[in-house]
Amino acid sequence: MITRKVRKDVEKALDRQPAVAIIGTRQVGKTTLALDIVEGRASVYLDLESYEDRDRLQDPILFFSQYEDSLIVLDEIHRMPEIFQTLRGVIDKGRRKGKRTGRFLILGSASLDLLKQSGESLAGRIGYIDMHPLNVLEVGVDNQVSLWVRGGFPDSFLSASEQDSFLTRKDFIRTYLERDIPQFAPRHPAEMLERLWMMLAHSQGGLLNASKLATNLSIGTKTVNFYIDLLVDLLLFRRLQPYHANIGKRLVKTPKIYIRDSGLLHALLGIRDYKALSGHPVLGGSWEGFVIENIFSILPQGTKPYFYRTSAGAEIDLVLEMPNSEIWAIEIKSGLTAKPSKGYYIAIEDVKATHSYVVYAGAEQYPIAEGIDAISLAGLMLLLEEP
């Protein structure tokens, strides 16, 4: 089993809060992690996609009262969002009995739905942990290319062959289109959603143009934005917002778009292996999205990520506004050459960057210019992980 770095965060949260929610995409490994955490503890596991387990909660107060000394795992909580109202009373009653921490471990695959429900009723009683797909530090630098091609979902990454991995991801996409998305957007055809997903894949790392997408799909811009919002809330898609600074320059104000998992991106585009990826037009956008998602998986809490671009061509692929007010300016290059563009030098002056790095496909760290270093993805992640 690959050791997940997020495990320590979950265990610490359970030691300070009565409820902890692990939020992550389907098949990212939430259930495996939860079952690993509860091993050796008194615990109860309920899969709320199972009719049998949902029936056990017909009288949830009575059920929970029978397991006051156990850690109760509630998987796929979005299937029973009404349970949050009950959890509030159960937690408060337990607190009066001295049972203040480690009561519930909640697993959810839809961020907006989960946060809305828990935010309304469990304020001050729940901690949130974001669980990302596997990252480079977890699988090892030697497996970086395989992780990039296959993506970070464990079943895909650990498949016996490239073909098995590709088919696993195709099945994942079909499941979302035919079963999961209709739960949140009923009466919307899977075929049209698949076409939108394909268009977004071809636009990886580009600026979002909802009007163009709407025209190509023969639907309204409002409908396109609704679908994109849904994909964001299901943790499948990312909108990276532009960095705004009062510098007297015309700034790009449209978000950039990414399919979050590189393996899903490649499956949508029919890319089965590195040979096919290396000659595909999406290569640069794929690497950029892969680097960004790996970085996001280890960012300190409170970090604000952006990109920076002016109409004159000054650009930074990723700007990190750190909790200590440092500004990290990160340029991303898919090859073994780590030479930034002239626009990058202008941009780091604009944003007053305190740290400037060019992430490239090589392994060495070396200076490019004063205050700017070339660095590997794993090297940058290790720097960002430092306290």
Side-chain angles (χ1 to χ4, degrees), residues 74-105:
L74 300 173
D75 202 347
E76 299 300 343
I77 191 67
H78 67 274
R79 295 302 300 268
M80 289 188 69
E82 66 276 8
I83 204 72
F84 282 110
Q85 293 295 333
T86 301
L87 289 178
R88 177 175 181 168
V90 171
I91 288 171
D92 289 347
K93 183 178 180 180
R95 281 175 164 175
R96 292 191 289 271
K97 294 182 178 181
K99 304 178 189 301
R100 306 187 63 86
T101 61
R103 300 286 311 280
F104 296 95
L105 184 56

Short mmCIF file of all heavy atoms in Angstrom, two decimals, residues 74-105:
data_model
loop_
_atom_site.label_atom_id
_atom_site.label_comp_id
_atom_site.label_asym_id
_atom_site.label_seq_id
_atom_site.Cartn_x
_atom_site.Cartn_y
_atom_site.Cartn_z
N LEU A 74 -18.93 7.39 7.94
CA LEU A 74 -20.08 7.59 7.06
C LEU A 74 -19.55 7.89 5.66
O LEU A 74 -19.09 9.00 5.38
CB LEU A 74 -20.96 8.73 7.57
CG LEU A 74 -21.55 8.54 8.97
CD1 LEU A 74 -22.27 9.82 9.43
CD2 LEU A 74 -22.50 7.35 9.00
N ASP A 75 -19.60 6.90 4.79
CA ASP A 75 -19.05 7.03 3.44
C ASP A 75 -20.14 7.51 2.47
O ASP A 75 -21.30 7.14 2.59
CB ASP A 75 -18.52 5.68 2.98
CG ASP A 75 -17.48 5.79 1.88
OD1 ASP A 75 -17.34 6.90 1.31
OD2 ASP A 75 -16.81 4.79 1.58
N GLU A 76 -19.73 8.33 1.50
CA GLU A 76 -20.64 8.92 0.50
C GLU A 76 -21.81 9.65 1.18
O GLU A 76 -22.98 9.40 0.93
CB GLU A 76 -21.15 7.85 -0.47
CG GLU A 76 -20.05 7.18 -1.27
CD GLU A 76 -19.25 8.15 -2.14
OE1 GLU A 76 -19.71 9.27 -2.38
OE2 GLU A 76 -18.14 7.78 -2.58
N ILE A 77 -21.44 10.60 2.03
CA ILE A 77 -22.41 11.31 2.87
C ILE A 77 -23.42 12.10 2.04
O ILE A 77 -24.52 12.39 2.51
CB ILE A 77 -21.65 12.25 3.85
CG1 ILE A 77 -22.58 12.81 4.93
CG2 ILE A 77 -20.98 13.38 3.09
CD1 ILE A 77 -23.09 11.78 5.90
N HIS A 78 -23.07 12.45 0.79
CA HIS A 78 -24.00 13.24 -0.01
C HIS A 78 -25.30 12.48 -0.32
O HIS A 78 -26.29 13.09 -0.71
CB HIS A 78 -23.34 13.68 -1.33
CG HIS A 78 -23.02 12.56 -2.27
ND1 HIS A 78 -21.85 11.84 -2.20
CD2 HIS A 78 -23.73 12.03 -3.30
CE1 HIS A 78 -21.86 10.92 -3.15
NE2 HIS A 78 -22.99 11.01 -3.83
N ARG A 79 -25.28 11.15 -0.11
CA ARG A 79 -26.51 10.38 -0.33
C ARG A 79 -27.53 10.58 0.80
O ARG A 79 -28.72 10.28 0.63
CB ARG A 79 -26.19 8.89 -0.48
CG ARG A 79 -25.35 8.56 -1.70
CD ARG A 79 -26.03 9.01 -2.99
NE ARG A 79 -27.33 8.39 -3.18
CZ ARG A 79 -27.53 7.27 -3.84
NH1 ARG A 79 -26.52 6.65 -4.41
NH2 ARG A 79 -28.75 6.77 -3.97
N MET A 80 -27.08 11.06 1.96
CA MET A 80 -27.99 11.33 3.08
C MET A 80 -27.63 12.66 3.74
O MET A 80 -27.25 12.70 4.92
CB MET A 80 -27.94 10.20 4.11
CG MET A 80 -28.58 8.91 3.68
SD MET A 80 -28.70 7.70 5.02
CE MET A 80 -29.95 8.47 6.08
N PRO A 81 -27.70 13.78 3.02
CA PRO A 81 -27.29 15.06 3.61
C PRO A 81 -28.12 15.45 4.83
O PRO A 81 -27.65 16.21 5.68
CB PRO A 81 -27.49 16.05 2.46
CG PRO A 81 -28.49 15.40 1.55
CD PRO A 81 -28.21 13.93 1.66
N GLU A 82 -29.34 14.92 4.95
CA GLU A 82 -30.19 15.26 6.08
C GLU A 82 -29.61 14.75 7.40
O GLU A 82 -30.03 15.21 8.48
CB GLU A 82 -31.59 14.69 5.88
CG GLU A 82 -31.70 13.17 5.89
CD GLU A 82 -31.41 12.53 4.55
OE1 GLU A 82 -30.96 13.25 3.62
OE2 GLU A 82 -31.62 11.31 4.42
N ILE A 83 -28.64 13.84 7.33
CA ILE A 83 -28.07 13.27 8.55
C ILE A 83 -27.29 14.31 9.35
O ILE A 83 -27.09 14.16 10.56
CB ILE A 83 -27.17 12.06 8.21
CG1 ILE A 83 -27.05 11.11 9.41
CG2 ILE A 83 -25.77 12.51 7.79
CD1 ILE A 83 -28.30 10.34 9.68
N PHE A 84 -26.86 15.40 8.70
CA PHE A 84 -26.09 16.42 9.40
C PHE A 84 -26.87 17.04 10.55
O PHE A 84 -26.30 17.37 11.60
CB PHE A 84 -25.61 17.50 8.43
CG PHE A 84 -24.43 17.09 7.61
CD1 PHE A 84 -24.56 16.85 6.26
CD2 PHE A 84 -23.18 16.93 8.18
CE1 PHE A 84 -23.48 16.47 5.50
CE2 PHE A 84 -22.08 16.55 7.44
CZ PHE A 84 -22.23 16.31 6.08
N GLN A 85 -28.17 17.24 10.36
CA GLN A 85 -28.97 17.82 11.43
C GLN A 85 -28.96 16.93 12.66
O GLN A 85 -28.91 17.41 13.80
CB GLN A 85 -30.41 18.04 10.94
CG GLN A 85 -30.55 19.10 9.85
CD GLN A 85 -30.19 20.49 10.36
OE1 GLN A 85 -30.31 20.79 11.54
NE2 GLN A 85 -29.75 21.35 9.45
N THR A 86 -28.98 15.62 12.44
CA THR A 86 -28.93 14.67 13.56
C THR A 86 -27.55 14.68 14.22
O THR A 86 -27.44 14.63 15.45
CB THR A 86 -29.25 13.25 13.06
OG1 THR A 86 -30.55 13.25 12.48
CG2 THR A 86 -29.22 12.25 14.21
N LEU A 87 -26.51 14.74 13.40
CA LEU A 87 -25.15 14.70 13.95
C LEU A 87 -24.90 15.84 14.93
O LEU A 87 -24.21 15.65 15.94
CB LEU A 87 -24.13 14.77 12.81
CG LEU A 87 -23.99 13.54 11.92
CD1 LEU A 87 -22.98 13.79 10.82
CD2 LEU A 87 -23.60 12.32 12.74
N ARG A 88 -25.48 16.99 14.65
CA ARG A 88 -25.26 18.13 15.55
C ARG A 88 -25.71 17.80 16.97
O ARG A 88 -24.97 18.01 17.93
CB ARG A 88 -26.00 19.35 15.03
CG ARG A 88 -25.88 20.56 15.94
CD ARG A 88 -26.53 21.78 15.33
NE ARG A 88 -26.40 22.93 16.21
CZ ARG A 88 -26.66 24.17 15.84
NH1 ARG A 88 -27.08 24.41 14.62
NH2 ARG A 88 -26.52 25.16 16.69
N GLY A 89 -26.92 17.27 17.10
CA GLY A 89 -27.43 16.94 18.42
C GLY A 89 -26.66 15.82 19.08
O GLY A 89 -26.39 15.85 20.29
N VAL A 90 -26.29 14.81 18.28
CA VAL A 90 -25.53 13.67 18.82
C VAL A 90 -24.18 14.13 19.34
O VAL A 90 -23.73 13.72 20.42
CB VAL A 90 -25.37 12.59 17.73
CG1 VAL A 90 -24.39 11.51 18.19
CG2 VAL A 90 -26.72 11.97 17.38
N ILE A 91 -23.51 14.99 18.58
CA ILE A 91 -22.20 15.49 19.00
C ILE A 91 -22.30 16.32 20.27
O ILE A 91 -21.51 16.17 21.21
CB ILE A 91 -21.55 16.30 17.85
CG1 ILE A 91 -21.10 15.36 16.73
CG2 ILE A 91 -20.36 17.11 18.37
CD1 ILE A 91 -20.65 16.08 15.47
N ASP A 92 -23.30 17.20 20.33
CA ASP A 92 -23.46 18.05 21.51
C ASP A 92 -23.79 17.22 22.75
O ASP A 92 -23.30 17.50 23.85
CB ASP A 92 -24.54 19.10 21.26
CG ASP A 92 -24.10 20.16 20.27
OD1 ASP A 92 -22.89 20.22 19.97
OD2 ASP A 92 -24.96 20.93 19.79
N LYS A 93 -24.61 16.20 22.58
CA LYS A 93 -24.93 15.32 23.70
C LYS A 93 -23.69 14.57 24.17
O LYS A 93 -23.44 14.41 25.36
CB LYS A 93 -26.02 14.34 23.28
CG LYS A 93 -26.49 13.43 24.42
CD LYS A 93 -27.61 12.52 23.94
CE LYS A 93 -28.09 11.60 25.06
NZ LYS A 93 -29.18 10.69 24.60
N GLY A 94 -22.89 14.11 23.20
CA GLY A 94 -21.66 13.41 23.55
C GLY A 94 -20.67 14.30 24.29
O GLY A 94 -19.98 13.85 25.21
N ARG A 95 -20.61 15.56 23.89
CA ARG A 95 -19.70 16.49 24.57
C ARG A 95 -20.05 16.62 26.05
O ARG A 95 -19.17 16.71 26.90
CB ARG A 95 -19.77 17.86 23.89
CG ARG A 95 -18.96 17.97 22.62
CD ARG A 95 -19.17 19.31 21.95
NE ARG A 95 -18.14 19.60 20.96
CZ ARG A 95 -18.14 20.66 20.18
NH1 ARG A 95 -19.14 21.55 20.26
NH2 ARG A 95 -17.17 20.86 19.31
N ARG A 96 -21.35 16.64 26.33
CA ARG A 96 -21.77 16.76 27.73
C ARG A 96 -21.39 15.53 28.55
O ARG A 96 -21.29 15.59 29.77
CB ARG A 96 -23.28 17.00 27.80
CG ARG A 96 -23.70 18.37 27.26
CD ARG A 96 -25.14 18.70 27.58
NE ARG A 96 -26.07 17.89 26.81
CZ ARG A 96 -26.54 18.23 25.62
NH1 ARG A 96 -26.16 19.37 25.04
NH2 ARG A 96 -27.40 17.44 24.99
N LYS A 97 -21.16 14.42 27.85
CA LYS A 97 -20.72 13.19 28.51
C LYS A 97 -19.19 13.04 28.50
O LYS A 97 -18.67 12.02 28.91
CB LYS A 97 -21.34 11.97 27.82
CG LYS A 97 -22.85 11.88 27.95
CD LYS A 97 -23.34 10.60 27.27
CE LYS A 97 -24.84 10.42 27.41
NZ LYS A 97 -25.31 9.16 26.75
N GLY A 98 -18.51 14.05 27.97
CA GLY A 98 -17.05 14.00 27.92
C GLY A 98 -16.49 13.37 26.67
O GLY A 98 -15.27 13.19 26.55
N LYS A 99 -17.35 13.03 25.71
CA LYS A 99 -16.90 12.43 24.45
C LYS A 99 -16.75 13.55 23.43
O LYS A 99 -17.66 13.84 22.66
CB LYS A 99 -17.89 11.37 23.98
CG LYS A 99 -18.15 10.27 25.01
CD LYS A 99 -19.17 9.28 24.53
CE LYS A 99 -19.59 8.32 25.64
NZ LYS A 99 -18.45 7.56 26.18
N ARG A 100 -15.60 14.18 23.41
CA ARG A 100 -15.43 15.44 22.67
C ARG A 100 -14.75 15.30 21.33
O ARG A 100 -14.81 16.21 20.50
CB ARG A 100 -14.66 16.44 23.55
CG ARG A 100 -15.26 16.66 24.94
CD ARG A 100 -14.55 17.78 25.68
NE ARG A 100 -14.73 19.05 24.99
CZ ARG A 100 -15.78 19.85 25.16
NH1 ARG A 100 -16.77 19.49 25.97
NH2 ARG A 100 -15.87 20.99 24.51
N THR A 101 -14.06 14.22 21.10
CA THR A 101 -13.29 14.09 19.86
C THR A 101 -13.44 12.69 19.26
O THR A 101 -13.83 11.74 19.95
CB THR A 101 -11.79 14.36 20.10
OG1 THR A 101 -11.29 13.39 21.03
CG2 THR A 101 -11.58 15.77 20.67
N GLY A 102 -13.13 12.59 17.96
CA GLY A 102 -13.04 11.30 17.31
C GLY A 102 -14.32 10.50 17.25
O GLY A 102 -14.29 9.27 17.36
N ARG A 103 -15.47 11.15 17.00
CA ARG A 103 -16.76 10.44 16.97
C ARG A 103 -17.13 9.98 15.55
O ARG A 103 -17.63 8.87 15.37
CB ARG A 103 -17.88 11.35 17.49
CG ARG A 103 -17.72 11.85 18.93
CD ARG A 103 -17.99 10.76 19.93
NE ARG A 103 -19.24 10.04 19.67
CZ ARG A 103 -20.46 10.49 20.02
NH1 ARG A 103 -20.60 11.68 20.61
NH2 ARG A 103 -21.53 9.75 19.77
N PHE A 104 -16.92 10.87 14.56
CA PHE A 104 -17.39 10.60 13.20
C PHE A 104 -16.30 10.92 12.18
O PHE A 104 -15.64 11.97 12.27
CB PHE A 104 -18.63 11.44 12.88
CG PHE A 104 -19.82 11.11 13.74
CD1 PHE A 104 -20.08 11.86 14.89
CD2 PHE A 104 -20.66 10.06 13.42
CE1 PHE A 104 -21.17 11.56 15.70
CE2 PHE A 104 -21.75 9.75 14.22
CZ PHE A 104 -22.00 10.50 15.37
N LEU A 105 -16.14 10.04 11.22
CA LEU A 105 -15.26 10.27 10.07
C LEU A 105 -16.16 10.23 8.84
O LEU A 105 -16.75 9.20 8.50
CB LEU A 105 -14.18 9.19 9.99
CG LEU A 105 -13.12 9.36 8.90
CD1 LEU A 105 -12.43 10.71 9.00
CD2 LEU A 105 -12.09 8.23 8.97
#
